[in-house]
């Protein structure tokens, strides 16, 4: 990304210390391409506090030097392909074609950017159900697969989540898919503190501790409308 003083400072410090992006990525506990994605492609847009703190230690600078005062602007001209909402032959009610997507583990805050998702299947759901029961626009709906067991017994590995990506302001106790600074997770979200500078992320499984993260490090992907599981 051009004209980004934080990224340029990181490049300069890497050069001064004789480090490459691969070595820096591994030093902060990330995959080998993490710094290349951050410096070259703007993914994620900003470093999480934990990544910035670790990287500051590697580069010998202050963590504040690696924090953006404002998020860099998003790239333009990468619109998603139009979706087909044509119902299969023989269906009587209007159906909306909803993509089930798989998101790359290294997607960062751009979790549903085109370059980080692969469509695995297409679900045809009643358009009326989405609009009137879910209060959503079919064009903002995705299906994601549950990974892990932190939300047991509410959600299990392999369950599908139908999420509304237009809803990104969490209310207390609602379930959201979000990027928590380390990975893509599904949690119940509550505001932490009177000034709402942090979010408390809650698991259903008692073996997984709740945790609090700075709100600026969280990227809300969407609100969970429904879940689908095998009986």
């Amino acid at each position: 990304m051009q004209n980004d003083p934080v990224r340029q400072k990181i490049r300069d410090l890497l050069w001064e210390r004789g480090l490459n992006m691969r070595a820096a990525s591994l030093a902060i506990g990330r995959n080998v391409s993490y710094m290349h994605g951050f410096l070259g492609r703007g993914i994620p847009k900003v470093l999480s506090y934990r990544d910035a703190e670790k990287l500051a230690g590697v580069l010998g600078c202050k963590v504040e030097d690696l924090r953006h005062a404002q998020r860099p602007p998003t790239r333009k001209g990468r619109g998603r392909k139009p979706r087909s909402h044509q119902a299969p032959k023989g269906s009587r009610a209007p159906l909306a074609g909803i993509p089930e997507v798989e998101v790359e583990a290294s997607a960062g805050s751009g979790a549903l950017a085109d370059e980080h998702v692969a469509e695995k299947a297409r679900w045809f759901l009643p358009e009326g159900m989405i609009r009137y029961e879910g209060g959503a626009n079919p064009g903002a709906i995705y299906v994601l697969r549950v990974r892990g067991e932190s939300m047991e017994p509410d959600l299990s590995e392999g369950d599908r989540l139908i999420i509304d990506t237009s809803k990104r302001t969490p209310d207390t106790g609602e379930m959201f898919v979000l990027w928590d600074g380390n990975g893509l997770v599904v949690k119940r979200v509550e505001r932490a503190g009177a000034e709402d500078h942090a979010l408390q992320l809650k698991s259903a499984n008692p073996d997984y501790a709740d945790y609090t993260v700075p709100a600026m490090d969280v990227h809300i992907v969407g609100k969970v409308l429904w879940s689908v599981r095998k009986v």
Side-chain angles (χ1 to χ4, degrees), residues 82-130:
R83 298 179 186 174
S84 171
H85 296 299
Q86 183 176 0
K89 291 181 179 180
S91 60
R92 297 180 180 180
L95 300 179
I98 307 300
E100 177 181 340
V101 297
E102 184 172 320
V103 182
E104 291 179 8
S106 60
S109 60
L112 288 184
D114 287 342
E115 66 265 33
H116 291 296
V117 298
E119 183 173 327
K120 309 299 291 184
R122 185 162 286 257
W123 294 44
F124 287 90
L125 304 178
E127 187 171 333
M129 180 185 77
I130 295 172

Side-chain angles (χ1 to χ4, degrees), residues 25 27 41 71 87 105 118 120 122 147 151 196 208 210 219:
S25 298
R41 296 190 295 145
R71 285 181 177 267
K120 309 299 291 184
R122 185 162 286 257
R147 304 287 184 182
M151 294 302 289
D196 292 344
Y208 288 77
D210 301 339
H219 173 77

Side-chain angles (χ1 to χ4, degrees), residues 55-74:
L55 187 58
V58 172
L59 299 179
C61 65
K62 297 178 180 179
V63 67
E64 291 78 11
D65 294 337
L66 307 183
R67 302 290 293 172
H68 288 87
Q70 296 180 334
R71 285 181 177 267
T74 57

Side-chain angles (χ1 to χ4, degrees), residues 6 19 23 69:
V6 172
L19 293 172

Side-chain angles (χ1 to χ4, degrees), residues 14 18 21 28 37 39 44-45 68 71 78 90 100 104 107 111 142-143 148 166 184 199 217 221 223 229:
L14 287 173
M21 289 185 282
I28 65 173
L39 295 176
K45 294 184 180 67
H68 288 87
R71 285 181 177 267
R78 300 188 65 88
E100 177 181 340
E104 291 179 8
Y142 285 86
V143 176
S166 71
L184 200 64
L199 298 175
D217 287 344
V221 175
K223 178 183 176 181
R229 63 168 52 181

